[in-house]
Amino acid sequence: MVIMTMTSSHTFLPVLERIAEEIGRTPGRGRPADYIPALAARDPRSFGMAVAELDGTVYGVGEWREPFSAQSITKVFTLALDLAREGDELWEHVGREPSGNPFNSLVQLEYENGIPRNPFINAGALVVTDRLHTRTGDAAGHLLDFLRAESGNPALDFDKEVAASETAHGDRNAALAHFMASYGNIDNDVPVLLDQYFRQCSVAATCADLALATGFLARHGIRADGGRLLTRSQAKQVNAVMLTCGTYDAAGDFAYRVGLPGKSGVGGGIIAVVPGRCTLCVWSPGLDERGNSVAGVAALDRFTTLTGLSVF
């Protein structure tokens, strides 16, 4: 395999076009998430991919301007927003280890005294959202403001249909929150927390929006306007947890194939970070059995193979 040398933004576009062509010929794209009707209706053969460079230049292929449900991708941003506010105290309430279990599992919480394994499984994300809500009074609103600012898209918003659908099918998340509350690891009333969490996950955004919004992690904590959100060390921490925990119990395989910090969502999106260089977002709604986009993982695998850009 010949590795393409990346010297400017213009050299990325042929790589994206090649990937889109290859993905278009690939049979078997998985199945959309069927427990949320608004997600189940998406075409599993849809595909978009965007790259954003450190200066905010963004370009893409396919349906890279098509909004989709960000879902668990938003967990990265709430983690960063809370970590910026409370620092290492957060890690007393949520771990940093891979879970080895499905993203909505309850099994580890009892023998680990209500402390979730990491911020990206549902239990951990509920803790982070809870703590951010305590500090801001509106965790979902602060998330939306951040995403609008970093993406440069003031029209970015919650999808009320998706939020309502998640609320109607939210019994397991409610169980996780109540169980952790019984150990004193949830501050807010559970119904309030769940409303914040479901709105957070319902954000509708494009590949371009999310690639741009993730840029602070490639810039070692620096926001799009030049202000600092995270220290360099904190940005490293978020990237590290993304690499080891960002794709649920497939994180090892994702690191093996892609070699980048990444975070997936059951809406079919995946964000990825090349520290010091660029950020990516790929979207295709068909999921594998672990909840990750089949075409999305394949596309990121091809990107790092063709460009030689990875953290390894």
mmCIF file with all atom_site columns, all heavy atoms in Angstrom, residues 256-270:
data_model
loop_
_atom_site.group_PDB
_atom_site.id
_atom_site.type_symbol
_atom_site.label_atom_id
_atom_site.label_alt_id
_atom_site.label_comp_id
_atom_site.label_asym_id
_atom_site.label_entity_id
_atom_site.label_seq_id
_atom_site.pdbx_PDB_ins_code
_atom_site.Cartn_x
_atom_site.Cartn_y
_atom_site.Cartn_z
_atom_site.occupancy
_atom_site.B_iso_or_equiv
_atom_site.pdbx_formal_charge
_atom_site.auth_seq_id
_atom_site.auth_comp_id
_atom_site.auth_asym_id
_atom_site.auth_atom_id
_atom_site.pdbx_PDB_model_num
ATOM 1  N N   . TYR A 1 256 ? -7.249  -0.834 16.915 1.00 0.00 ? 256 TYR A N   1
ATOM 2  C CA  . TYR A 1 256 ? -6.449  -1.702 16.043 1.00 0.00 ? 256 TYR A CA  1
ATOM 3  C C   . TYR A 1 256 ? -6.614  -1.309 14.577 1.00 0.00 ? 256 TYR A C   1
ATOM 4  O O   . TYR A 1 256 ? -5.640  -1.208 13.829 1.00 0.00 ? 256 TYR A O   1
ATOM 5  C CB  . TYR A 1 256 ? -6.883  -3.151 16.253 1.00 0.00 ? 256 TYR A CB  1
ATOM 6  C CG  . TYR A 1 256 ? -6.207  -4.170 15.376 1.00 0.00 ? 256 TYR A CG  1
ATOM 7  C CD1 . TYR A 1 256 ? -4.967  -4.709 15.734 1.00 0.00 ? 256 TYR A CD1 1
ATOM 8  C CD2 . TYR A 1 256 ? -6.817  -4.592 14.199 1.00 0.00 ? 256 TYR A CD2 1
ATOM 9  C CE1 . TYR A 1 256 ? -4.354  -5.652 14.929 1.00 0.00 ? 256 TYR A CE1 1
ATOM 10 C CE2 . TYR A 1 256 ? -6.213  -5.539 13.385 1.00 0.00 ? 256 TYR A CE2 1
ATOM 11 C CZ  . TYR A 1 256 ? -4.973  -6.065 13.761 1.00 0.00 ? 256 TYR A CZ  1
ATOM 12 O OH  . TYR A 1 256 ? -4.366  -6.994 12.958 1.00 0.00 ? 256 TYR A OH  1
ATOM 13 N N   . ARG A 1 257 ? -7.860  -1.048 14.167 1.00 0.00 ? 257 ARG A N   1
ATOM 14 C CA  . ARG A 1 257 ? -8.132  -0.766 12.756 1.00 0.00 ? 257 ARG A CA  1
ATOM 15 C C   . ARG A 1 257 ? -7.872  0.686  12.390 1.00 0.00 ? 257 ARG A C   1
ATOM 16 O O   . ARG A 1 257 ? -7.330  0.973  11.315 1.00 0.00 ? 257 ARG A O   1
ATOM 17 C CB  . ARG A 1 257 ? -9.587  -1.113 12.409 1.00 0.00 ? 257 ARG A CB  1
ATOM 18 C CG  . ARG A 1 257 ? -9.914  -2.582 12.460 1.00 0.00 ? 257 ARG A CG  1
ATOM 19 C CD  . ARG A 1 257 ? -11.362 -2.834 12.056 1.00 0.00 ? 257 ARG A CD  1
ATOM 20 N NE  . ARG A 1 257 ? -11.631 -2.380 10.686 1.00 0.00 ? 257 ARG A NE  1
ATOM 21 C CZ  . ARG A 1 257 ? -12.841 -2.387 10.137 1.00 0.00 ? 257 ARG A CZ  1
ATOM 22 N NH1 . ARG A 1 257 ? -13.887 -2.803 10.837 1.00 0.00 ? 257 ARG A NH1 1
ATOM 23 N NH2 . ARG A 1 257 ? -13.014 -1.964 8.895  1.00 0.00 ? 257 ARG A NH2 1
ATOM 24 N N   . VAL A 1 258 ? -8.275  1.615  13.254 1.00 0.00 ? 258 VAL A N   1
ATOM 25 C CA  . VAL A 1 258 ? -8.259  3.033  12.908 1.00 0.00 ? 258 VAL A CA  1
ATOM 26 C C   . VAL A 1 258 ? -7.047  3.751  13.497 1.00 0.00 ? 258 VAL A C   1
ATOM 27 O O   . VAL A 1 258 ? -6.420  4.577  12.838 1.00 0.00 ? 258 VAL A O   1
ATOM 28 C CB  . VAL A 1 258 ? -9.577  3.702  13.351 1.00 0.00 ? 258 VAL A CB  1
ATOM 29 C CG1 . VAL A 1 258 ? -9.547  5.206  13.088 1.00 0.00 ? 258 VAL A CG1 1
ATOM 30 C CG2 . VAL A 1 258 ? -10.765 3.059  12.634 1.00 0.00 ? 258 VAL A CG2 1
ATOM 31 N N   . GLY A 1 259 ? -6.752  3.493  14.765 1.00 0.00 ? 259 GLY A N   1
ATOM 32 C CA  . GLY A 1 259 ? -5.585  4.107  15.385 1.00 0.00 ? 259 GLY A CA  1
ATOM 33 C C   . GLY A 1 259 ? -5.743  5.574  15.715 1.00 0.00 ? 259 GLY A C   1
ATOM 34 O O   . GLY A 1 259 ? -4.769  6.324  15.745 1.00 0.00 ? 259 GLY A O   1
ATOM 35 N N   . LEU A 1 260 ? -6.988  5.999  15.991 1.00 0.00 ? 260 LEU A N   1
ATOM 36 C CA  . LEU A 1 260 ? -7.259  7.380  16.378 1.00 0.00 ? 260 LEU A CA  1
ATOM 37 C C   . LEU A 1 260 ? -8.237  7.410  17.544 1.00 0.00 ? 260 LEU A C   1
ATOM 38 O O   . LEU A 1 260 ? -9.086  6.519  17.659 1.00 0.00 ? 260 LEU A O   1
ATOM 39 C CB  . LEU A 1 260 ? -7.891  8.163  15.218 1.00 0.00 ? 260 LEU A CB  1
ATOM 40 C CG  . LEU A 1 260 ? -7.048  8.438  13.977 1.00 0.00 ? 260 LEU A CG  1
ATOM 41 C CD1 . LEU A 1 260 ? -7.913  9.092  12.902 1.00 0.00 ? 260 LEU A CD1 1
ATOM 42 C CD2 . LEU A 1 260 ? -5.842  9.306  14.302 1.00 0.00 ? 260 LEU A CD2 1
ATOM 43 N N   . PRO A 1 261 ? -8.170  8.452  18.405 1.00 0.00 ? 261 PRO A N   1
ATOM 44 C CA  . PRO A 1 261 ? -9.257  8.661  19.355 1.00 0.00 ? 261 PRO A CA  1
ATOM 45 C C   . PRO A 1 261 ? -10.558 8.865  18.588 1.00 0.00 ? 261 PRO A C   1
ATOM 46 O O   . PRO A 1 261 ? -10.597 9.625  17.612 1.00 0.00 ? 261 PRO A O   1
ATOM 47 C CB  . PRO A 1 261 ? -8.853  9.944  20.094 1.00 0.00 ? 261 PRO A CB  1
ATOM 48 C CG  . PRO A 1 261 ? -7.374  10.068 19.866 1.00 0.00 ? 261 PRO A CG  1
ATOM 49 C CD  . PRO A 1 261 ? -7.116  9.476  18.515 1.00 0.00 ? 261 PRO A CD  1
ATOM 50 N N   . GLY A 1 262 ? -11.612 8.184  18.998 1.00 0.00 ? 262 GLY A N   1
ATOM 51 C CA  . GLY A 1 262 ? -12.879 8.299  18.288 1.00 0.00 ? 262 GLY A CA  1
ATOM 52 C C   . GLY A 1 262 ? -14.054 8.125  19.222 1.00 0.00 ? 262 GLY A C   1
ATOM 53 O O   . GLY A 1 262 ? -13.927 7.577  20.320 1.00 0.00 ? 262 GLY A O   1
ATOM 54 N N   . LYS A 1 263 ? -15.207 8.606  18.796 1.00 0.00 ? 263 LYS A N   1
ATOM 55 C CA  . LYS A 1 263 ? -16.437 8.427  19.569 1.00 0.00 ? 263 LYS A CA  1
ATOM 56 C C   . LYS A 1 263 ? -17.584 8.213  18.595 1.00 0.00 ? 263 LYS A C   1
ATOM 57 O O   . LYS A 1 263 ? -17.805 9.013  17.682 1.00 0.00 ? 263 LYS A O   1
ATOM 58 C CB  . LYS A 1 263 ? -16.735 9.648  20.451 1.00 0.00 ? 263 LYS A CB  1
ATOM 59 C CG  . LYS A 1 263 ? -17.998 9.463  21.301 1.00 0.00 ? 263 LYS A CG  1
ATOM 60 C CD  . LYS A 1 263 ? -17.764 8.460  22.411 1.00 0.00 ? 263 LYS A CD  1
ATOM 61 C CE  . LYS A 1 263 ? -19.055 7.969  23.050 1.00 0.00 ? 263 LYS A CE  1
ATOM 62 N NZ  . LYS A 1 263 ? -19.688 6.862  22.281 1.00 0.00 ? 263 LYS A NZ  1
ATOM 63 N N   . SER A 1 264 ? -18.312 7.139  18.828 1.00 0.00 ? 264 SER A N   1
ATOM 64 C CA  . SER A 1 264 ? -19.429 6.793  17.962 1.00 0.00 ? 264 SER A CA  1
ATOM 65 C C   . SER A 1 264 ? -20.757 7.120  18.632 1.00 0.00 ? 264 SER A C   1
ATOM 66 O O   . SER A 1 264 ? -20.829 7.355  19.843 1.00 0.00 ? 264 SER A O   1
ATOM 67 C CB  . SER A 1 264 ? -19.381 5.301  17.624 1.00 0.00 ? 264 SER A CB  1
ATOM 68 O OG  . SER A 1 264 ? -19.502 4.522  18.813 1.00 0.00 ? 264 SER A OG  1
ATOM 69 N N   . GLY A 1 265 ? -21.819 7.115  17.818 1.00 0.00 ? 265 GLY A N   1
ATOM 70 C CA  . GLY A 1 265 ? -23.173 7.268  18.314 1.00 0.00 ? 265 GLY A CA  1
ATOM 71 C C   . GLY A 1 265 ? -24.098 6.373  17.516 1.00 0.00 ? 265 GLY A C   1
ATOM 72 O O   . GLY A 1 265 ? -23.813 6.064  16.345 1.00 0.00 ? 265 GLY A O   1
ATOM 73 N N   . VAL A 1 266 ? -25.210 5.962  18.113 1.00 0.00 ? 266 VAL A N   1
ATOM 74 C CA  . VAL A 1 266 ? -26.099 5.033  17.415 1.00 0.00 ? 266 VAL A CA  1
ATOM 75 C C   . VAL A 1 266 ? -26.890 5.700  16.293 1.00 0.00 ? 266 VAL A C   1
ATOM 76 O O   . VAL A 1 266 ? -27.617 5.030  15.560 1.00 0.00 ? 266 VAL A O   1
ATOM 77 C CB  . VAL A 1 266 ? -27.057 4.310  18.395 1.00 0.00 ? 266 VAL A CB  1
ATOM 78 C CG1 . VAL A 1 266 ? -26.280 3.433  19.351 1.00 0.00 ? 266 VAL A CG1 1
ATOM 79 C CG2 . VAL A 1 266 ? -27.950 5.299  19.122 1.00 0.00 ? 266 VAL A CG2 1
ATOM 80 N N   . GLY A 1 267 ? -26.733 7.010  16.120 1.00 0.00 ? 267 GLY A N   1
ATOM 81 C CA  . GLY A 1 267 ? -27.264 7.660  14.934 1.00 0.00 ? 267 GLY A CA  1
ATOM 82 C C   . GLY A 1 267 ? -26.444 7.364  13.694 1.00 0.00 ? 267 GLY A C   1
ATOM 83 O O   . GLY A 1 267 ? -26.829 7.740  12.595 1.00 0.00 ? 267 GLY A O   1
ATOM 84 N N   . GLY A 1 268 ? -25.308 6.684  13.869 1.00 0.00 ? 268 GLY A N   1
ATOM 85 C CA  . GLY A 1 268 ? -24.450 6.305  12.747 1.00 0.00 ? 268 GLY A CA  1
ATOM 86 C C   . GLY A 1 268 ? -23.242 7.182  12.552 1.00 0.00 ? 268 GLY A C   1
ATOM 87 O O   . GLY A 1 268 ? -22.471 6.979  11.608 1.00 0.00 ? 268 GLY A O   1
ATOM 88 N N   . GLY A 1 269 ? -23.045 8.157  13.419 1.00 0.00 ? 269 GLY A N   1
ATOM 89 C CA  . GLY A 1 269 ? -21.895 9.043  13.305 1.00 0.00 ? 269 GLY A CA  1
ATOM 90 C C   . GLY A 1 269 ? -20.710 8.565  14.122 1.00 0.00 ? 269 GLY A C   1
ATOM 91 O O   . GLY A 1 269 ? -20.874 7.858  15.119 1.00 0.00 ? 269 GLY A O   1
ATOM 92 N N   . ILE A 1 270 ? -19.510 8.950  13.688 1.00 0.00 ? 270 ILE A N   1
ATOM 93 C CA  . ILE A 1 270 ? -18.282 8.740  14.451 1.00 0.00 ? 270 ILE A CA  1
ATOM 94 C C   . ILE A 1 270 ? -17.411 9.972  14.256 1.00 0.00 ? 270 ILE A C   1
ATOM 95 O O   . ILE A 1 270 ? -17.194 10.413 13.121 1.00 0.00 ? 270 ILE A O   1
ATOM 96 C CB  . ILE A 1 270 ? -17.486 7.499  13.987 1.00 0.00 ? 270 ILE A CB  1
ATOM 97 C CG1 . ILE A 1 270 ? -18.349 6.247  13.954 1.00 0.00 ? 270 ILE A CG1 1
ATOM 98 C CG2 . ILE A 1 270 ? -16.277 7.277  14.900 1.00 0.00 ? 270 ILE A CG2 1
ATOM 99 C CD1 . ILE A 1 270 ? -17.641 5.017  13.369 1.00 0.00 ? 270 ILE A CD1 1
#
